[in-house]
Amino acid sequence: QVHVAESGGGLVQPGGSLRLSCAASGSIFRTYAMAWSRQAPGKQRELVASITNIGKTNYTDAVKGRFTISGDLAKHTVYLQMNSLKPEDTAVYFCNVGGISIPTMDPFGVWGQGTQVTVSS
């Protein structure tokens, strides 16, 4: 089994910053990709940013230039630096993990419970 835990969310004023952290643990042979997704009330869940084990990153247009994803996938950790936050960034942010499990060597894709980010003033 693989477990994912997010942290770092909170209440912040528009223009402020937050840094989200994620750690995956359990029966992981290798992590190939980690990502952050978010879901705002009444809206579909969307992929915010992703990173692969070779360092390729992708961002949704809404956060380009403001958010930065980083991490050490060999240690199953990922971060999301969120700057210049806007009210429309308010959502529950989820950490997503894809890789190979042990001992079966099967692929997996999981996510955590999420951390709330609220941008308001």
Side-chain angles (χ1 to χ4, degrees):
Q1 61 275 28
V2 178
H3 298 92
V4 180
E6 305 99 333
S7 63
L11 175 64
V12 65
Q13 295 180 351
S17 298
L18 286 173
R19 190 176 194 235
L20 306 184
S21 299
C22 173
S25 61
S27 303
I28 302 172
F29 174 71
R30 182 166 297 171
T31 297
Y32 288 116
M34 298 184 75
W36 291 95
S37 61
R38 67 185 181 186
Q39 188 166 30
K43 298 182 66 177
Q44 287 193 135
R45 189 162 166 171
E46 66 172 338
L47 183 65
V48 176
S50 63
I51 185 169
T52 72
N53 64 335
I54 59 171
K56 181 181 178 181
T57 60
N58 283 287
Y59 301 90
T60 188
D61 287 344
V63 308
K64 286 181 179 177
R66 300 189 297 119
F67 292 9
T68 302
I69 189 170
S70 63
D72 184 348
L73 271 65
K75 296 182 178 179
H76 325 301
T77 59
V78 69
Y79 307 92
L80 186 67
Q81 180 66 46
M82 309 165 67
N83 298 327
S84 302
L85 283 161
K86 304 175 180 179
E88 49 263 47
D89 295 318
T90 296
V92 177
Y93 284 71
F94 299 90
C95 177
N96 307 277
V97 186
I100 303 295
S101 66
I102 53 174
T104 62
M105 303 296 284
D106 291 331
F108 71 88
V110 298
W111 54 89
Q113 294 279 61
T115 184
Q116 176 72 48
V117 172
T118 302
V119 185
S120 180
S121 181

